[in-house]
Amino acid sequence: MIKSKYAWDIKHPESKITDDIASKYKLTPIVKKILESKGLTDANTIESLLSDDGVLHNPMAMSDMQKAVERINLAIDQNQKILVYGDYDADGVTSTTILVTALRELGAHVGWYIPNRFTEGYGPNEMAFKNAYDEGVSLIITVDNGIQGHKEIEMIQELGVDVIVTDHHEIGETLPNAFAIVHPMHPDFDYPFKYLCGAGVAYKLTQSLLEQPPVSFLGLVAIGTIADLVSLTDENRTLVKQGLNVLNDHCPPAIKALLKQADYNDEINEETIGFIIGPRLNAVGRLEDATLAAELLMCDNEEEAEFYADQVEFFNQERKDIVAQITEEALQVAEEQVQNGNKFLVLAQADWHEGVLGIVASKIVETYALPTLILNIDEAQQHAKGSARSIEQVSMFEILTEHASLIDKFGGHHMAAGMTLAIENVEPLRQALNASMAEIEQTTSLEPRKHVDTTIEESEITLKNIQDIQRLRPFGSDFTSPCFELEDVIVQQAKAIGQDKKHLKLTMGEEKLQAIFWQNGHLVQELGDGQPINVIGTLQINEWNGFQSPQFMIQDLANNSLQILDYRSKSKVNQFQGDEADIAYLVHQSSDKVADNYYVYGETIEQDYNKYVLRDLPKSINHLKNTLKSINVSQIYLVLNHERSVYFEGMPKMETFKNCFKAIASKGQINLAKDGMHLCQFLNVEPTMLKFILKVFMDLDFIKDENGIISMNQTSTKREIESSKYYQGRLDRIAVEKLMLYEDFSNLKQWIKAELKDN
């Protein structure tokens, strides 16, 4: 049995899309099934989903929009200095670029500033605001931040500098005392869509300022939206679809240069942004000053863009190396906390680079499916600073708000947060968060879950169907790439691939469907050819040398029936995965029992094990039967070590025994060293067979062996050859080998299952 890592929430949608709607929008059966599983069944919703026009709401409906526009226009009319105050992630630099470009187009006297993650932290910074005041700035506009900057905004407003907050992050119990707050979730306004990213909010502001914002802004909004992992529904979906079209049709120099560094020249889609563009823009602010990323996005010259992109790529590579090192260290600390029963992991250590802790936290959450906070201990500053990532069942913003008294500063939303706190509060915060998790567990299961859209048949996995599914793109938060379940698909072949054999490649089903399961190469040891498994995952088209084929990207797999795995000809057979205490080894004889979980075939096994490794060949089929009748088992590994096989040698004929006996009797005695080969030639047997015959005679007391001199035992009595324990042992060995080594594997599996059923 292979237990799934996740609980699978599998939908079995009712057929609610009418034939008329399916015909009107040319919905194939698989697309229809996906839409029904996601609850998208009425004509208007489907049309909006498939259309590039989609849904775009009136920007003036957003909070304080009219007030913000009037104040910005006043600043432009009076040539007042405006400062756009951004953030250091991909959403922040795209937001900054959008608003600064728009204000320049309006003729504003505008500058921009992105705080340093390490020296200033997230959000409004008092020193930066004071510097702006000293430089004569009259209006500060925050983008992708500001909603938690109460103190700093109050301070600068009192100095006579107006602040317009444009943000999308969670709003606390009170609002900052800003001149205007442009926010889709403002409690006093009812904007139709609450989940814009920072770039989306900045874009809505430019829609109110400009009659026709540049189409390039849509590309930047798409990058900010996807990189910030906000909901890809409603207005966000429309903005991203239009933005992707812009990036493909009129790709700006900055994005061209980034993609060139990544050696990417295919169509730009949501995955291009999520895995190539977004991480590179984020890398700069994670390690140094994000100003470089904003300068890249703002430049129109290709040569200049390539210069900036080259520097960005340097930071991206450095970021990868740092993440790998910290992740390795953090996993060790996390494992210890998990073993101690922690349900909220708080990992803190000195010299962990603060800029990448969010990435590391995400990797820990992927591994343990528990909310995780990772902190760098900074003795010089006397504080701990870092990032948190959550699971669906736990709102990071809410649980941290409960313990805000232990935290100096934090901000975030349901799934993520960043914070700073005193070093002495790290351990109290860990205890408090785990106490909160204990309360949450009383009403909410923390079991990791995977949402599965629908079950499909092997026959539905075709190139045509996968191409039809692409009509539903882009996929992202709240509109994920459809996850499918395949039931009882047969494993044709399993391989561990990649560096260090980390990944699993399967060939499955009658059509030999190729499947990949990243980071699960170890499962190759538990997947035998011919095994039925259940898998969940997504579909994609694999291209190789111009040939296209369907590919299943596995997210989880399970086998709920008994597994009998053939390891008889495989190397490294002792590297079985799992808790050693859950594995029993069956060996040939008592001297091979090197630990408490080693047993001789036929011996009573009182402890329960899930996995049984038949390490050696049993002495007899009856011994094996006795073992199988006494155990409850999920997995059986057939290793069956043996020094040599006797099956093909067979058993000597009775005539050979008689001729050997007569030869010894006629000569009186035989010197094995001198006459052994002559005797073998006379009997037409191999030396090993002669040794066996003589061993039988010795057992029956027919002969004596004195230092290799074989002579008759004159006092022996007549006995049947078959009565020798060695003769019977060889019969048993031949029967065991015939069944366990040379029988067709499918027949052997059926025999083992039948013996287990008799239990």
Side-chain angles (χ1 to χ4, degrees):
M1 175 185 290
I2 300 177
K3 191 176 185 305
S4 62
K5 295 180 180 179
Y6 300 91
W8 300 354
D9 294 329
I10 303 173
K11 295 180 181 178
H12 301 283
E14 298 178 15
S15 181
K16 290 187 175 182
I17 296 177
T18 65
D19 291 341
D20 289 344
I21 293 176
S23 175
K24 179 179 179 181
Y25 297 106
K26 299 179 181 177
L27 305 180
T28 56
I30 196 165
V31 170
K32 180 174 175 287
K33 191 184 292 189
I34 293 166
L35 293 176
E36 287 169 341
S37 74
K38 294 182 181 297
L40 307 171
T41 58
D42 64 274
N44 290 337
T45 301
I46 293 171
E47 182 168 356
S48 174
L49 184 77
L50 298 176
S51 168
D52 283 347
D53 296 333
V55 179
L56 286 174
H57 302 300
N58 179 4
M60 297 308 296
M62 198 175 295
S63 64
D64 287 348
M65 185 64 81
Q66 183 65 44
K67 192 176 180 183
V69 169
E70 290 174 356
R71 180 63 185 87
I72 292 170
N73 284 331
L74 176 64
I76 295 171
D77 290 343
Q78 296 183 357
N79 199 32
Q80 294 177 359
K81 286 186 178 180
I82 302 173
L83 178 70
V84 175
Y85 188 92
D87 187 31
Y88 37 70
D89 66 2
D91 190 20
V93 294
T94 52
S95 306
T96 303
T97 302
I98 288 168
L99 191 53
V100 169
T101 304
L103 292 173
R104 284 175 176 171
E105 189 167 312
L106 288 167
H109 187 177
V110 59
W112 54 276
Y113 184 84
I114 295 176
N116 185 291
R117 178 193 293 264
F118 310 104
T119 59
E120 298 170 283
Y122 170 76
N125 177 272
E126 186 171 329
M127 184 60 69
F129 275 16
K130 283 183 176 178
N131 287 340
Y133 168 76
D134 291 340
E135 292 174 7
V137 169
S138 298
L139 174 63
I140 295 174
I141 308 173
T142 70
V143 288
D144 194 32
N145 74 95
I147 201 64
Q148 296 293 331
H150 295 64
K151 177 184 172 185
E152 295 81 2
I153 291 172
E154 182 78 29
M155 177 274 299
I156 201 69
Q157 286 271 161
E158 288 180 356
L159 291 175
V161 178
D162 287 331
V163 178
I164 297 173
V165 172
T166 77
D167 201 356
H168 72 112
H169 292 96
E170 294 275 0
I171 297 175
E173 294 182 2
T174 60
L175 293 165
N177 186 25
F179 178 86
I181 297 175
V182 180
H183 197 300
M185 289 188 282
H186 195 295
D188 298 334
F189 292 79
D190 191 22
Y191 189 71
F193 183 63
K194 309 295 183 184
Y195 306 110
L196 292 167
C197 69
V201 177
Y203 179 70
K204 301 307 288 189
L205 177 56
T206 65
Q207 282 185 307
S208 303
L209 289 168
L210 299 170
E211 289 186 12
Q212 188 63 51
V215 293
S216 61
F217 287 4
L218 288 167
L220 295 170
V221 173
I223 293 170
T225 301
I226 292 169
D228 219 48
L229 301 176
V230 292
S231 177
L232 205 58
T233 58
D234 198 273
E235 188 168 28
N236 278 346
R237 182 172 185 78
T238 305
L239 291 169
V240 167
K241 288 187 81 168
Q242 294 181 358
L244 288 173
N245 289 337
V246 168
L247 290 175
N248 282 293
D249 295 340
H250 309 286
C251 192
I255 304 306
K256 278 184 182 177
L258 278 180
L259 296 178
K260 184 177 180 181
Q261 285 291 332
D263 197 25
Y264 183 88
N265 50 23
D266 292 331
E267 179 187 11
I268 300 173
N269 56 34
E270 68 273 25
E271 292 183 353
T272 316
I273 293 173
F275 296 107
I276 297 177
I277 299 172
R280 282 166 170 77
L281 293 176
N282 278 323
V284 184
R286 290 187 183 282
L287 302 187
E288 292 289 342
D289 192 324
T291 299
L292 171 64
E295 288 174 336
L296 168 64
L297 292 179
M298 289 183 196
C299 75
D300 293 323
N301 180 277
E302 287 192 9
E303 188 175 337
E304 185 181 2
E306 289 186 4
F307 171 76
Y308 284 131
D310 183 62
Q311 296 179 66
V312 168
E313 186 62 26
F314 170 81
F315 286 115
N316 184 52
Q317 293 301 323
E318 186 178 1
R319 184 265 306 171
K320 288 181 180 179
D321 295 339
I322 295 171
V323 166
Q325 177 188 341
I326 297 177
T327 300
E328 183 179 350
E329 296 171 1
L331 282 169
Q332 295 176 3
V333 183
E335 178 62 27
E336 184 177 338
Q337 290 197 9
V338 169
Q339 293 299 324
N340 291 332
N342 284 251
K343 294 301 174 69
F344 196 119
L345 306 180
V346 178
L347 318 177
Q349 188 166 304
D351 299 323
W352 276 354
H353 199 296
E354 294 169 9
V356 301
L357 296 186
I359 300 174
V360 178
S362 294
K363 291 181 180 294
I364 303 298
V365 173
E366 287 174 12
T367 303
Y368 294 104
L370 293 172
T372 301
L373 167 60
I374 302 193
L375 297 163
N376 174 55
I377 301 296
D378 189 333
E379 295 287 355
Q381 299 291 327
Q382 277 299 295
H383 67 217
K385 188 176 179 183
S387 297
R389 296 293 183 268
S390 196
I391 57 178
E392 272 188 35
Q393 302 96 314
V394 179
S395 168
M396 185 61 71
F397 183 80
E398 290 179 6
I399 199 170
L400 291 176
T401 299
E402 286 180 33
H403 307 294
S405 60
L406 293 170
I407 305 170
D408 294 342
K409 185 177 181 181
F410 84 94
H413 48 79
H414 185 92
M415 296 299 290
M419 74 196 68
T420 303
L421 67 155
I423 296 174
E424 60 268 22
N425 285 343
V426 171
E427 180 58 22
L429 180 61
R430 184 191 65 79
Q431 295 178 10
L433 290 170
N434 274 279
S436 293
M437 290 296 291
E439 293 180 10
I440 291 171
E441 266 195 298
Q442 294 179 7
T443 57
T444 305
S445 170
L446 297 181
E447 183 180 18
R449 312 192 75 81
K450 282 283 185 184
H451 300 288
V452 182
D453 288 274
T454 187
T455 299
I456 57 173
E457 302 295 328
E458 285 183 59
S459 59
E460 295 180 84
I461 302 177
T462 64
L463 286 174
K464 171 68 167 58
N465 275 342
I466 298 173
Q467 287 163 350
D468 288 338
I469 293 170
Q470 305 308 307
R471 290 183 64 201
L472 301 178
R473 298 184 83 157
F475 299 118
S477 299
D478 295 334
F479 191 77
T480 54
S481 181
C483 182
F484 301 105
E485 182 200 32
L486 272 176
E487 291 182 327
D488 293 326
V489 62
I490 301 299
V491 174
Q492 303 289 354
Q493 186 182 55
K495 288 182 179 179
I497 62 170
Q499 188 176 7
D500 301 326
K501 305 295 184 184
K502 286 184 178 180
H503 312 303
L504 179 68
K505 182 177 182 180
L506 298 181
T507 303
M508 310 187 303
E510 295 180 3
E511 299 300 320
K512 296 185 178 179
L513 173 67
Q514 299 299 302
I516 300 291
F517 196 4
W518 302 120
Q519 305 299 326
N520 280 271
H522 63 276
L523 288 177
V524 72
Q525 303 201 48
E526 302 185 43
L527 290 166
D529 296 350
Q531 291 290 330
I533 59 173
N534 294 350
V535 294
I536 61 170
T538 59
L539 297 175
Q540 69 176 31
I541 295 174
N542 181 44
E543 293 197 32
W544 178 254
N545 287 339
F547 177 74
Q548 292 186 329
S549 61
Q551 186 166 256
F552 197 94
M553 306 306 295
I554 300 174
Q555 295 181 356
D556 200 7
L557 63 78
N559 179 289
N560 298 320
S561 60
L562 169 68
Q563 287 183 291
I564 301 172
L565 304 171
D566 189 2
Y567 272 70
R568 291 173 295 180
S569 61
K570 296 183 179 179
S571 60
K572 299 182 180 178
V573 294
N574 291 321
Q575 296 182 10
F576 299 104
Q577 297 294 319
D579 184 1
E580 185 71 18
D582 202 33
I583 304 175
Y585 293 88
L586 276 298
V587 295
H588 184 70
Q589 55 196 5
S590 297
S591 59
D592 294 323
K593 295 171 65 174
V594 297
D596 291 340
N597 59 332
Y598 281 66
Y599 300 88
V600 176
Y601 289 97
E603 183 179 353
T604 300
I605 302 176
E606 296 181 350
Q607 183 174 337
D608 287 333
Y609 298 91
N610 281 325
K611 300 178 182 180
Y612 284 78
V613 178
L614 308 192
R615 197 197 73 172
D616 303 334
L617 270 178
K619 290 183 177 179
S620 73
I621 290 177
N622 281 335
H623 283 153
L624 176 59
K625 284 184 174 182
N626 290 337
T627 294
L628 294 176
K629 290 181 188 300
S630 67
I631 62 175
N632 294 313
V633 58
S634 297
Q635 292 176 323
I636 294 177
Y637 294 82
L638 302 180
V639 178
L640 306 176
N641 290 330
H642 56 284
E643 290 185 4
R644 69 184 185 92
S645 172
V646 301
Y647 175 72
F648 293 106
E649 297 175 9
M651 182 68 79
K653 295 179 181 178
M654 201 55 64
E655 177 110 7
T656 305
F657 279 104
K658 291 178 181 178
N659 290 338
C660 184
F661 186 86
K662 289 177 181 178
I664 297 171
S666 64
K667 293 199 73 171
Q669 66 178 27
I670 290 177
N671 185 327
L672 273 183
K674 182 179 176 182
D675 303 319
M677 288 306 299
H678 295 295
L679 183 56
C680 285
Q681 292 170 2
F682 170 72
L683 298 173
N684 193 26
V685 296
E686 294 293 328
T688 54
M689 190 65 81
L690 175 60
K691 287 181 181 179
F692 167 70
I693 293 171
L694 296 177
K695 189 180 282 189
V696 170
F697 287 170
M698 289 282 294
D699 181 49
L700 296 174
D701 209 22
F702 289 171
I703 60 173
K704 295 184 291 184
D705 182 355
E706 296 177 347
N707 297 321
I709 306 299
I710 305 298
S711 61
M712 300 299 298
N713 183 0
Q714 301 301 327
T715 62
S716 65
T717 58
K718 184 177 180 179
R719 297 169 65 184
E720 297 296 326
I721 294 292
E722 293 91 335
S723 67
S724 166
K725 65 181 181 183
Y726 292 110
Y727 187 95
Q728 291 300 320
R730 189 177 182 91
L731 282 178
D732 287 339
R733 175 61 179 259
I734 290 172
V736 166
E737 288 188 16
K738 179 182 179 182
L739 174 67
M740 304 301 289
L741 297 182
Y742 304 112
E743 181 60 83
D744 181 80
F745 183 56
S746 61
N747 293 336
L748 174 57
K749 286 195 294 184
Q750 292 305 314
W751 182 88
I752 292 174
K753 288 179 179 179
E755 291 300 318
L756 288 167
K757 284 181 180 177
D758 288 342
N759 181 20

